[in-house]
Amino acid sequence: MKKLTIDENIVDKISLGAIVKIRDELLEMQRMGKKIYRLESGDPSFNVQDHIKDAMIEAIKNNKTHYTESTGLPELKKAISEKLKKKNEIFDNEPENIIVTNGGMNGLYVAFRSILNESDNVIIPDPMWTEIAEIIKLSGGNPIYVDSNNYANSVEKIKFPDLKAIFINSPHNPTGKVFSRHDFEKIINFASDHGIFIISDEAYEDIIFDGKKHFSPGSEYENTISLFSLSKTYAMSGLRIGYIHTRNNKIVERIGKMVRVTINGVNSVAQHGARAALSGPQYFIKAMRDEYQKRRDIIYDSLVNSKFLEPIKPEGAFYIWCKIKEMPAGVNDSFTMTDYILRKTGVGSIPGPVFGPSGKDHIRFAFSADTKIIEEASSILKNLE
Ligand code: PLP
């Protein structure tokens, strides 16, 4: 029998390392009976609204459990199209240019895969939610990190061959930054001058604080691939619904093919729930946003006087990015710092380097957990010695 050999594969280029390790550790500590505060991951604490649940129950009862059109149910695409006009000011959109995906993550993968060839470069903010760089690598491309603080100004100076896209995520995971209209104008000019795509990840479009407004570059720049998710706005994270809009027909065709040969459409019941979510009442989004803002204030106020950490006040999303200003004895980097905090307080966090080179000496907490948990964890963190 010939021995099976497994050659190196593109998947070997991606890593899941640090976050998986931390999650496993938290779960293990929880199993051992220790009180653990899961501030390492961003999963909304809210429940799905009843009218969305009812739509899914109805779909099951009425046997709407068969294959759907692989790029999405027409009635869902129609609801998305209306939403894009009303909320994102993407007026000239057609249901044919919308693809429903298995959560935002699947959308990100098919979007990058549809534009990248081997060794193509994509500019991404540093720091950035880990998965973005990994998805770009999995699509054959190279992520080029650019300081997120000064993103719009820094990209103007970039001279890279084989540049295919600039990626933007506003509100931004992990810093909570909401990019200004002025930043977007510079990014649009840059993309337009270079003839490249803007990939705009708008997963947190509704989680914006202090009255700041969300901006969708797809409303102004033709070559935008806009990505949305129902995970955060409607707390539908486990139902895995996202969608893409782009005016570029070639990209629509490629994404359509990829969706067909991989997932062949998203779970029909979840799509009926998504239609109800997008076309039903929206008042609870404000209530949820207000609650996140309250949590943001609680955790920020407790960390701002911390001996060891210096938090950046997030303008949106539900993460708080902290610089380590002083290391306790025995701590020498972000990894040992997250470990120190976990052992001393039971609060989980993620070490900054996981999000890119500038994450050195930083850590990230999420405040998507229930307000009571955020209150308890914050009062413990306040007294961290
Ligand atoms: N984009 C960003 C920046 C995220 O942080 C997330 C999830 O945390 C997503 C996209 C995708 O979320 P989902 O796949 O649940 O839609």
Side-chain angles (χ1 to χ4, degrees):
M1 195 171 91
K2 191 167 177 205
K3 190 171 176 289
L4 175 91
T5 52
I6 297 184
D7 299 330
E8 214 195 326
N9 177 283
I10 195 162
V11 183
D12 298 323
K13 286 191 182 171
I14 67 162
S15 70
L16 289 176
I19 293 186
V20 172
K21 189 170 160 280
I22 289 161
R23 198 156 297 162
D24 288 352
E25 218 174 308
L26 293 178
L27 292 172
E28 176 60 19
M29 286 172 84
Q30 233 168 8
R31 258 195 302 275
M32 309 268 286
K34 188 159 168 39
K35 176 94 179 144
I36 294 295
Y37 299 90
R38 303 271 320 266
L39 305 201
E40 91 290 0
S41 81
D43 192 1
S45 60
F46 299 97
N47 291 326
V48 171
Q49 294 290 305
D50 283 346
H51 68 280
I52 302 174
K53 290 181 183 167
D54 291 343
M56 292 193 283
I57 292 165
E58 274 306 295
I60 295 173
K61 284 188 178 158
N62 292 319
N63 301 312
K64 295 188 174 170
T65 48
H66 296 273
Y67 289 127
T68 70
E69 290 78 354
S70 59
T71 59
L73 279 172
E75 55 268 46
L76 171 56
K77 288 201 199 183
K78 195 162 175 293
I80 293 171
S81 167
E82 293 302 314
K83 176 264 179 186
L84 289 175
K85 285 178 192 157
K86 224 160 114 185
K87 197 146 138 185
N88 306 98
E89 299 187 7
I90 302 179
F91 298 116
D92 57 337
N93 78 77
E94 299 298 334
E96 297 77 57
N97 290 59
I98 291 163
I99 302 107
V100 179
T101 58
N102 197 30
M105 283 198 83
N106 172 232
L108 283 158
Y109 175 65
V110 292
F112 280 119
R113 189 69 198 87
S114 72
I115 61 164
L116 294 178
N117 282 318
E118 187 87 12
S119 307
D120 281 341
N121 293 312
V122 179
I123 298 173
I124 69 169
D126 180 19
M128 186 61 234
W129 181 51
T130 339
E131 278 73 358
I132 299 301
E134 304 302 344
I135 289 171
I136 292 170
K137 287 186 231 161
L138 189 58
S139 305
N142 302 313
I144 309 291
Y145 284 104
V146 171
D147 176 16
S148 72
N149 273 326
N150 208 9
Y151 199 51
N153 290 326
S154 306
V155 291
E156 284 181 337
K157 295 172 204 125
I158 287 204
K159 302 226 176 335
F160 257 102
D162 304 322
L163 203 54
K164 277 286 154 64
I166 175 163
F167 173 82
I168 184 150
N169 170 225
S170 180
H172 179 237
N173 175 5
T175 64
K177 184 180 169 75
V178 172
F179 287 86
S180 71
R181 190 58 199 261
H182 190 57
D183 287 337
F184 272 109
E185 269 157 28
K186 287 189 169 178
I187 288 163
I188 289 173
N189 286 340
F190 173 82
S192 167
D193 288 350
H194 287 74
I196 59 172
F197 285 104
I198 292 180
I199 309 238
S200 174
D201 176 347
E202 305 181 33
Y204 298 94
E205 62 178 329
D206 287 299
I207 306 175
I208 300 201
F209 310 130
D210 309 319
K212 279 198 157 32
K213 293 265 169 293
H214 177 68
F215 175 73
S216 298
S219 63
E220 278 186 11
Y221 183 58
E222 194 183 327
N223 296 318
T224 304
I225 304 180
S226 311
L227 295 133
F228 300 90
S229 166
L230 274 73
S231 293
K232 320 291 175 179
T233 302
Y234 300 99
M236 288 171 68
S237 47
L239 291 160
R240 313 305 304 133
I241 297 274
Y243 54 95
I244 301 177
H245 170 260
T246 178
R247 294 177 184 81
N248 189 300
N249 290 329
K250 187 72 195 164
I251 299 302
V252 170
E253 184 194 319
R254 287 183 185 168
I255 294 178
K257 282 186 194 171
M258 267 189 285
V259 165
R260 166 73 188 154
V261 299
T262 53
I263 60 171
N264 190 24
V266 173
N267 176 323
S268 63
V269 174
Q271 289 195 66
H272 284 282
R275 186 199 45 73
L278 289 165
S279 49
Q282 306 291 311
Y283 64 87
F284 57 88
I285 296 176
K286 182 184 176 311
M288 180 196 70
R289 181 191 302 133
D290 290 348
E291 198 62 25
Y292 282 131
Q293 183 164 323
K294 190 169 142 194
R295 295 174 191 176
R296 187 267 318 249
D297 292 341
I298 294 169
I299 192 162
Y300 177 78
D301 290 347
S302 82
L303 290 170
V304 80
N305 294 317
S306 151
K307 187 167 160 196
F308 304 117
L309 301 171
E310 187 182 318
I312 295 173
K313 196 169 196 172
E315 301 165 312
F318 38 53
Y319 305 99
I320 187 155
W321 186 240
C322 304
K323 187 169 167 43
I324 305 170
K325 60 180 178 188
E326 190 188 317
M327 309 247 182
V331 170
N332 47 30
D333 62 11
S334 309
F335 292 87
T336 42
M337 186 69 185
T338 53
D339 207 46
Y340 178 84
I341 295 173
L342 179 60
R343 313 242 157 245
K344 278 242 156 191
T345 66
V347 179
S349 59
I350 302 280
V354 166
F355 300 93
S358 75
K360 187 175 172 295
D361 298 338
H362 286 76
I363 62 170
R364 187 201 78 176
F365 297 101
F367 53 88
S368 52
D370 194 79
T371 307
K372 202 169 156 307
I373 294 174
I374 299 300
E375 272 168 352
E376 274 180 38
S378 298
S379 75
I380 296 171
L381 285 171
K382 194 175 180 172
N383 301 315
L384 179 69
E385 278 294 328

